[in-house]
Amino acid sequence: TQLLEQSPQFLSIQEGENLTVYCNSSSVFSSLQWYRQEPGEGPVLLVTVVTGGEVKKLKRLTFQFGDARKDSSLHITAAQPGDTGLYLCAGEIGYSTLTFGKGTMLLVSP
Amino acid sequence: DTAVSQTPKYLVTQMGNDKSIKCEQNLGHDTMYWYKQDSKKFLKIMFSYNNKELIINETVPNRFSPKSPDKAHLNLHINSLELGDSAVYFCASSQIPGLGSYEQYFGPGTRLTVT
C-alpha cells in the first residue's frame, strides 16, 4: 500500500505554462517535505510545511499543506526549462523517518 | 565542500558477489540513512541509523547490512547480490529531529547494476 499518492506521474508542458502537482494520503503527517531530483543526482529539499493550511512560496513555486495535514500541493507559475526534474513529496511518519511518494516527472520545453 | 558523498558512483558486478558502498557526511549530523530508488524512481527507505539505534525496514533482505565505523560514515554491505538488487542507492543524513520538521541531505547516489 502506497502511503503517499502523487499526481500526475508525468507532466510535459511548454515554457510559461502553470502547473500543479498533488500529494495525497489518508494518513496524517507531522510535516511534509517537497524535494526536486535532477538526473544523476540526489533529491534536494525545496520546502518543509508543518502547520495545517500553511502556504509557503519559493520564487515561482507555491506549496500548500492541507488543513488536516494529509495532503499537499505544489504550484509552479510560468514554468521554465530549469524547473525540469522529478518532484518528490515526503511525509514524516515517525522518529527520523520519511516516506516518499512515487514522484512527478516534470518536463518543461522551451 | 561535498556535504554527503558516496563511492563508487557506478558499480557493475555479477550475481552472487558481495559488494560495499561507502557513505560519508561532513555536516555533523547524527542520523544517516540508506534509500533504494528503483527503475520507476520510487525512493524507499532501507535503514536509518544514529549512534543509539538502527531502524531496519522490515522488507529489506538480511543480505543488506549497514555498518557505521563512526558518526560520519555509514557503509552498506550487500551479500550474494541478485538481479533485483539493481537500482540506485542513496545515502542521506539529518540532524536528530526535534519538534517539527527536519531536512535530509542526500548523496549523489550509487548506480548498482547486477548482471
Side-chain angles (χ1 to χ4, degrees):
Chain A
T1 303
Q2 178 61 31
L3 204 56
L4 275 169
E5 297 288 344
Q6 277 189 246
S7 61
Q9 292 185 13
F10 183 78
L11 193 54
S12 180
I13 61 172
Q14 296 293 317
E15 183 176 2
E17 292 185 30
N18 302 332
L19 66 115
T20 302
V21 175
Y22 299 93
C23 178
N24 296 301
S25 176
S26 57
S27 301
V28 176
F29 297 103
S30 53
S31 71
L32 195 138
Q33 301 179 3
W34 284 92
Y35 289 78
R36 180 167 67 206
Q37 184 180 10
E38 299 188 9
E41 299 181 8
V44 176
L45 181 72
L46 295 173
V47 77
T48 302
V49 285
V50 179
T51 307
E54 183 177 4
V55 177
K56 282 192 174 180
K57 291 192 175 184
L58 182 66
K59 295 183 180 178
R60 292 175 294 99
L61 279 60
T62 302
F63 304 85
Q64 185 164 7
F65 202 13
D67 291 340
R69 305 205 321 274
K70 294 182 179 181
D71 54 84
S72 181
S73 63
L74 158 60
H75 182 79
I76 302 179
T77 303
Q80 299 178 2
D83 296 328
T84 293
L86 178 69
Y87 289 81
L88 297 160
C89 66
E92 185 179 351
I93 59 172
Y95 186 78
S96 75
T97 301
L98 289 178
T99 185
F100 281 81
K102 291 190 175 183
T104 295
M105 184 66 221
L106 172 65
L107 175 62
V108 183
S109 302
Chain B
D1 289 341
T2 303
V4 181
S5 59
Q6 295 178 229
T7 55
K9 176 73 171 174
Y10 300 96
L11 182 56
V12 181
T13 188
Q14 292 184 328
M15 286 175 56
N17 285 347
D18 303 336
K19 290 293 179 184
S20 294
I21 306 172
K22 294 185 177 180
C23 178
E24 176 181 1
Q25 55 95 3
N26 61 5
L27 298 168
H29 286 165
D30 300 292
T31 306
M32 296 183 73
Y33 312 82
W34 277 105
Y35 287 87
K36 178 181 180 181
Q37 188 172 45
D38 62 24
S39 58
K40 295 184 178 180
K41 303 299 184 184
F42 182 37
L43 198 63
K44 192 171 183 179
I45 183 73
M46 300 177 70
F47 306 100
S48 66
Y49 182 82
N50 60 31
N51 58 6
K52 299 178 183 177
E53 187 177 18
L54 171 66
I55 300 174
I56 303 171
N57 185 321
E58 60 187 14
T59 65
V60 175
N62 58 14
R63 298 181 294 103
F64 291 77
S65 58
K67 288 183 169 53
S68 180
D70 55 60
K71 197 175 82 166
H73 297 83
L74 183 66
N75 303 324
L76 182 64
H77 295 267
I78 316 170
N79 295 324
S80 302
L81 278 155
E82 300 178 357
L83 292 176
D85 297 333
S86 296
V88 181
Y89 292 84
F90 287 98
C91 177
S93 72
S94 72
Q95 291 285 17
I96 292 178
L99 293 176
S101 63
Y102 62 99
E103 175 179 1
Q104 291 193 9
Y105 291 80
F106 284 80
T110 295
R111 180 174 293 277
L112 171 65
T113 303
V114 182
T115 62

